[in-house]
């Protein structure tokens, strides 16, 4: 812990402050050393990590079953082992579901963590936990939507640090984007859902992700797994009008109006909330009027054969979009494979959609992404994470539907120095519990930060002024890296 004595920092011999001391002092804002001036800590962290210039987070919301993906138990009792058969992969000892053949063929590029585990057995809370590394403060059943009190997502912390490096101004392209929609946008539910976990939370709206929007045809449509036309794959910036009337000149007029509003407001008195909102809107306008952004969001620039390889469904094209965005300079891109019909990966009823739609589309997109990144020389500097927020109960119903089971579920990590063809963790005979120490969301967050060269011990100030660690208690999984 940082020691303060008569206004001086505890130092190493020769007057050099330790790396941890600099981090903690910067995070606490001590002695005038604000966070922007402590960002050298991010450079120091790259000495032991930091190969990942960017992260692509494929979030399979709803909770894929461990028993139908990467932890198959063909010798388990009939009520547990599942309806699908295992196939061999390029990883010794790793048996993968028969409906993931393309993924099995590239398993030498990724590592499977079999022992992800937490105790928030709920979608919203689980999604918050996985994307932030912090447990949600809303009790199970007490809410579904994001709140301003939530912990900032990993992507929002990356965005925040990027803005601090540039003196508080967002770059032309953001550090953090979410595609194809904010989590919950297409879900059919009794209220409009904006699931927690992907936002700036108490860090403020200014570090929320820039999010695209892609609509479905009607209430019964699931675009995540059906082929879509180029006319449907709009990837418009969420919150800005679209259509033929949206021209660069019109956007410039909108910006001029926004600037005039800012001038008028400044004469009336400042408002932090309005200022943050204005900056967020300004950034969206800058993005959509930028030639660089329009180029990055133009999927039709990709060869047809490559688009076919990813799959013409929304998940496949969104995964390809993520590759285009990180290639353009975005540091953290989350791709949601969301529930639309109320179930999808949340497969309580049966395994039919899992077999026919979910596994094949995930198989197509994940395998294509890894090969594409490798061929472009980007895999060594891009961390790919693919997972859900929970697993499924070992015991299934008669039609092979399974309920929530956050006690055990898998995660796939690749790139940025992750040892391909490896498996971390052992599970029991029913894929119910970890036999080796479980891997927590805190561990996952610490690992992602470490891979990006951001020290997990960095501290930020909450609105009340209390310095808090970006990860509390997690450890980077160094054994993942070769």
């Amino acid at each position: 812990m940082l020691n303060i004595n008569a206004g001086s920092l505890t130092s190493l011999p020769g007057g050099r402050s330790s790396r941890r001391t600099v981090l903690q002092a910067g995070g606490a804002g001590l002695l005038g050393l604000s966070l922007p001036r402590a960002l050298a800590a991010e450079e120091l962290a790259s000495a032991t990590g930091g190969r990942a210039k960017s992260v692509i987070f494929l979030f399979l919301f709803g909770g894929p079953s461990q028993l139908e993906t990467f932890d198959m138990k063909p010798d388990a009792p009939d009520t547990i082992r599942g309806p699908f058969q295992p196939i061999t992969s390029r990883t010794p000892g790793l048996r993968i579901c028969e409906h993931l053949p393309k993924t099995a063929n590239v398993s030498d590029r990724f590592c499977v963590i079999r022992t992800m585990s937490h105790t928030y057995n709920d979608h919203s809370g689980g999604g918050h936990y996985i994307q932030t590394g912090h447990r949600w403060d809303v009790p199970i059943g007490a809410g579904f939507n994001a709140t301003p009190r939530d912990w900032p997502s990993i992507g929002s912390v990356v965005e925040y640090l990027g803005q601090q490096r540039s003196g508080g101004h967002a770059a032309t392209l953001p550090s953090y984007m979410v595609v194809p929609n904010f989590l919950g946008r297409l879900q059919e539910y009794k209220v409009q859902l904006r699931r927690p976990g992907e936002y700036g939370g108490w860090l403020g709206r200014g570090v929320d992700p820039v999010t695209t929007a892609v609509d479905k045809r009607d209430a019964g449509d699931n675009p995540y797994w059906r082929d879509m036309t180029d006319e449907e794959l709009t990837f418009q910036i969420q919150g800005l009008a679209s259509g033929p009337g949206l021209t660069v000149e019109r956007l410039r007029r909108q910006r001029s109006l926004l600037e005039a509003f800012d001038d008028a407001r400044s004469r009336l008195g400042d408002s932090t909330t309005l200022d943050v909102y204005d900056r967020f809107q300004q950034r969206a306008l800058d993005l959509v009027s930028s030639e660089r952004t329009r180029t990055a969001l133009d999927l039709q620039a990709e060869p047809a054969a490559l688009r076919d390889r990813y799959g013409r469904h929304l998940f496949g094209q969104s995964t390809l979009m993520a590759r285009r965005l990180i290639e353009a300079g975005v540091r953290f891109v989350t791709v949601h494979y969301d529930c639309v019909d109320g179930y999808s990966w949340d497969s309580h009823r049966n395994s039919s959609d899992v077999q026919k739609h979910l596994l094949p589309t995930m198989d197509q997109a994940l395998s294509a992404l890894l090969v594409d990144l490798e061929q472009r020389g980007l895999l060594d500097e891009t961390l790919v994470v693919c997972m859900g927020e929970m697993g499924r109960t070992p015991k299934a119903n008669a039609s092979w539907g399974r309920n929530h089971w956050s006690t055990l579920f898998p995660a796939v990590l690749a790139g940025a120095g992750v040892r391909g063809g490896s498996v971390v963790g052992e599970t029991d005979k029913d894929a119910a519990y970890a036999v080796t120490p479980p891997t927590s969301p805190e561990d996952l967050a610490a690992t992602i930060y470490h891979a990006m060269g951001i020290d997990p011990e960095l501290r930020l100030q909450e609105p009340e002024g209390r310095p808090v660690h970006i990860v509390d208690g997690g450890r980077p999984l160094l054994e993942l890296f070769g």
Side-chain angles (χ1 to χ4, degrees):
M1 183 61 65
L2 177 67
N3 296 313
I4 306 174
N5 183 13
S8 63
L9 298 178
T10 299
S11 299
L12 296 173
R16 293 178 295 108
S17 296
S18 73
R19 174 168 171 258
R20 179 174 296 185
T21 296
V22 172
L23 281 167
Q24 292 175 336
L30 298 172
L31 305 179
L33 184 61
S34 63
L35 183 60
R37 292 167 178 78
L39 286 169
E42 189 173 344
E43 302 299 326
L44 289 171
S46 65
T48 55
R51 284 183 61 173
K53 292 182 180 178
S54 54
V55 172
I56 296 176
F57 196 107
L58 306 179
F59 193 34
L60 313 178
F61 185 76
S65 168
Q66 65 276 23
L67 286 147
E68 273 75 62
T69 54
F70 298 101
D71 198 9
M72 304 195 75
K73 303 292 184 180
D75 299 325
D78 292 348
T79 56
I80 290 174
R81 65 172 174 258
F84 309 144
Q85 298 301 311
I87 57 175
T88 58
S89 69
R90 290 179 178 267
T91 302
L94 177 63
R95 292 182 291 188
I96 291 178
C97 178
E98 62 182 315
H99 300 297
L100 297 173
K102 295 181 175 66
T103 302
N105 198 43
V106 298
S107 72
D108 55 337
R109 275 89 156 180
F110 63 77
C111 171
V112 175
I113 302 174
R114 281 177 168 157
T115 52
M116 290 299 307
S117 181
H118 62 79
T119 58
Y120 205 118
N121 201 33
D122 169 82
H123 296 299
S124 284
H128 179 279
Y129 208 169
I130 291 298
Q131 294 181 93
T132 66
H134 292 266
R135 189 177 175 88
W136 203 27
D137 65 354
V138 177
I140 293 177
F144 302 98
N145 283 299
T147 80
R149 301 182 306 276
D150 295 347
W151 283 89
S153 67
I154 300 170
S156 288
V157 172
V158 172
E159 176 67 45
Y160 177 75
L161 295 176
Q163 290 185 22
Q164 297 306 306
R165 276 196 302 273
S166 61
H169 302 289
T172 303
L173 274 174
S175 294
Y176 177 34
M177 291 189 69
V178 166
V179 296
N181 294 292
F182 65 76
L183 193 60
R185 182 173 180 269
L186 298 188
Q187 288 187 31
E188 295 171 14
Y189 203 67
K190 55 189 176 185
V191 295
Q192 172 62 69
L193 291 174
R194 192 177 280 270
R195 300 277 192 180
E198 67 189 55
Y199 301 104
W202 50 260
L203 267 182
R205 274 209 65 190
V207 294
D208 279 355
V210 170
T211 306
T212 61
V214 179
D215 290 319
K216 57 183 180 179
R217 289 174 178 169
D218 51 47
D221 182 35
N222 192 327
Y224 286 95
W225 66 45
R226 71 158 171 85
D227 284 359
M228 299 187 72
T229 66
D230 286 341
E231 289 72 27
E232 293 176 300
L233 291 164
T234 54
F235 288 101
Q236 298 291 330
I237 302 296
Q238 173 70 34
L240 293 180
S242 62
L246 186 67
T247 64
V248 172
E249 184 56 37
R250 180 180 166 193
L251 286 168
R252 287 174 180 155
R253 288 199 300 270
Q254 288 185 27
R255 179 156 52 190
S256 297
L257 288 171
L258 184 60
E259 289 168 352
F261 174 79
D262 285 342
D263 291 340
R265 181 175 54 77
S266 66
R267 291 193 294 270
L268 294 172
D270 193 27
S271 166
T272 302
T273 301
L274 283 174
D275 183 60
V276 169
Y277 180 75
D278 292 348
R279 283 191 285 113
F280 187 82
Q281 289 293 93
Q282 182 69 61
R283 180 167 56 145
L285 287 170
D286 287 341
L287 285 169
V288 80
S289 62
S290 160
E291 180 63 34
R292 186 179 177 191
T293 305
R294 289 198 300 275
T295 299
L297 294 175
D298 182 12
L299 273 179
Q300 295 185 55
E302 294 290 339
L306 182 63
R307 294 184 65 187
D308 291 342
R309 198 179 311 151
Y310 274 87
R312 295 283 181 152
H313 39 80
L314 184 55
F315 184 63
Q317 296 301 286
S318 299
T319 302
L320 175 55
M321 178 62 74
R323 192 228 77 207
R324 290 184 61 82
L325 290 171
I326 65 105
E327 204 168 24
V330 181
R331 289 205 72 194
F332 199 107
V333 182
T334 296
V335 181
H336 292 312
Y337 198 139
D338 203 357
C339 295
V340 174
D341 58 1
Y343 291 95
S344 295
W345 287 111
D346 190 22
S347 51
H348 290 276
R349 298 175 298 184
N350 56 59
S351 63
S352 178
D353 286 344
V354 175
Q355 174 182 348
K356 295 177 181 177
H357 305 297
L358 296 161
L359 289 176
T361 48
M362 183 196 86
D363 184 46
Q364 200 171 10
L366 175 60
S367 60
L369 175 65
L370 297 182
V371 172
D372 191 15
L373 288 172
E374 185 176 62
Q375 291 176 345
R376 291 170 183 271
L378 295 172
L379 190 57
D380 283 344
E381 60 187 43
T382 306
L383 180 67
V384 177
V385 181
C386 181
M387 63 187 302
E389 77 279 15
M390 62 175 66
R392 315 303 299 182
T393 50
K395 188 173 182 179
N397 62 31
S399 56
W400 289 110
R402 301 182 190 268
N403 295 324
H404 301 174
W405 189 258
S406 65
T407 308
L408 187 75
F409 56 105
V412 171
L413 276 72
V418 170
R419 289 187 295 108
S422 62
V423 177
V424 171
E426 297 180 12
T427 62
D428 66 7
K429 61 182 180 59
D430 296 335
Y433 299 96
V435 174
T436 54
T439 303
S440 68
E442 290 89 347
D443 296 333
L444 178 71
T447 302
I448 295 173
Y449 283 128
H450 168 82
M452 299 189 78
I454 300 170
D455 196 297
E457 293 184 8
L458 182 68
R459 295 195 293 179
L460 303 176
Q461 280 195 354
E462 284 187 312
E464 296 80 11
R466 181 172 64 98
V468 293
H469 288 95
I470 56 173
V471 181
D472 188 9
R475 71 170 186 92
L477 302 174
L478 301 181
E479 60 270 29
L480 267 61
F481 299 92

